[in-house]
Amino acid sequence: IIPVGVNLENNKTVCWRPCDPNQCHMLIGGSSGSGKSVALNNIIAHLIEGNYNVELILQDTKMVDLYQFKDAKQVKYYNEGLDYAEDTVKTLCDEMSNRYKWLREKNKRQLNDYKGKDKPPYIFYVIEELASFIGEKEHPEFYKYLGELLAKGRAAGIFIIISTQAPYSSILPGMLKNNINTVLGLKTKTRESSKVVCGDYDKLFEIKDGKGHGYLFSEDEIEIQSFNISDEQIERI
């Protein structure tokens, strides 16, 4: 259970539950300066500080936003730019297949149902700024394996977190986007971008302040102020 912000209607903490079939995988969308990187850093920091049974794989396409986390013990791989991205998603698909075989031996349908001490870690593959990949035509193998992970990864305990300014179909094809059940939508600079992120032309465009103010779209639509986290806090964690 990962806290992502405060519900502006009742001041209660709003959490993301990736093991929930209705909330698996997350897309963080919004314009530059809206708070995407801070929101993403908060999620990663929580996974690290919580001492959960997790492995993190970070694809830091801008090479600056996730650098502070690279030496954390939960971070299995830290990739800069587009380095090793295709190999990473292919390896994750192989791991997913092996886990399904393992689950069948344990007579379980999903990793979250298994309570044994030999339970493998949950894996979070984080992509900071998907737009760096330009699109499916330029990186067909990457998108092929990413699509498999989004479609089938949850039951195997493999989750995807994608951050991007506006997930246009050229950047995040519709078939892939449809398998992301949680969207953290932050302020956009155009109505078209708001429509692309959350399906509403005005919802994110009309946010005044930005800086982490937005909506969490999953089973419900919740207006939130996402949590802030400083570089000093990240260094401590």
Side-chain angles (χ1 to χ4, degrees):
I1 299 176
I2 304 170
V4 294
V6 174
N7 186 325
L8 293 180
E9 183 176 337
N10 57 24
N11 288 325
K12 292 183 178 179
T13 299
V14 178
C15 295
W16 173 42
R17 295 169 170 81
C19 290
D20 185 328
N22 298 311
Q23 296 189 23
C24 63
H25 310 307
M26 175 178 278
L27 171 66
I28 303 174
S31 64
S32 178
S34 64
K36 294 192 310 299
S37 295
V38 176
L40 182 58
N41 286 347
N42 172 70
I43 291 171
I44 296 171
H46 181 82
L47 287 168
I48 290 172
E49 189 175 40
N51 290 316
Y52 299 114
N53 182 27
V54 299
E55 286 182 355
L56 298 171
I57 300 173
L58 308 180
Q59 194 75 44
D60 191 3
T61 68
K62 293 190 288 186
M63 299 184 285
V64 293
D65 289 326
L66 306 180
Y67 180 79
Q68 285 177 289
F69 296 109
K70 71 181 183 68
D71 294 321
K73 66 179 181 180
Q74 292 89 344
V75 176
K76 186 173 183 180
Y77 301 116
Y78 170 78
N79 301 333
E80 290 190 335
L82 306 187
D83 292 350
Y84 308 112
E86 185 178 312
D87 291 339
T88 297
V89 288
K90 184 180 185 303
T91 298
L92 283 173
C93 282
D94 292 340
E95 173 67 15
M96 179 176 67
S97 298
N98 291 334
R99 287 189 175 199
Y100 275 119
K101 294 174 184 176
W102 180 84
L103 285 168
R104 188 170 58 194
E105 293 172 0
K106 301 293 183 180
N107 197 29
K108 298 294 182 182
R109 290 182 178 271
Q110 56 184 353
L111 185 64
N112 204 43
D113 293 336
Y114 185 72
K115 308 303 180 185
K117 292 183 179 180
D118 58 337
K119 181 176 183 174
Y122 294 101
I123 297 174
F124 288 81
Y125 179 45
V126 181
I127 306 171
E128 167 67 14
E129 195 45 72
L130 183 67
S132 298
F133 287 91
I134 305 174
E136 190 174 11
K137 290 183 179 179
E138 286 74 15
H139 301 277
E141 291 299 298
F142 172 79
Y143 276 91
K144 170 189 170 184
Y145 293 120
L146 180 63
E148 290 187 26
L149 293 170
L150 287 169
K152 301 182 291 184
R154 179 197 62 81
I158 300 174
F159 306 104
I160 310 298
I161 305 174
I162 294 172
S163 171
T164 191
Q165 290 195 28
Y168 290 99
S169 59
S170 59
I171 301 301
L172 184 61
M175 288 186 65
L176 275 64
K177 188 177 179 181
N178 288 340
N179 285 317
I180 300 175
N181 288 350
T182 302
V183 175
L184 176 56
L186 303 173
K187 180 175 175 60
T188 62
K189 292 181 180 178
T190 68
R191 285 187 164 87
E192 289 73 18
S193 293
S194 177
K195 172 70 174 177
V196 170
V197 173
C198 72
D200 187 311
Y201 283 106
D202 298 323
K203 183 73 69 175
L204 305 179
F205 175 73
E206 292 180 347
I207 293 174
K208 293 182 179 180
D209 297 329
K211 298 187 182 302
H213 179 198
Y215 292 83
L216 189 71
F217 303 93
S218 186
E219 298 170 276
D220 301 306
E221 177 187 307
I222 305 172
E223 185 176 7
I224 72 168
Q225 177 63 48
S226 58
F227 291 124
N228 188 24
I229 187 169
S230 67
D231 289 342
E232 291 74 20
Q233 287 172 305
I234 293 173
E235 287 294 341
R236 176 184 62 78
I237 290 167

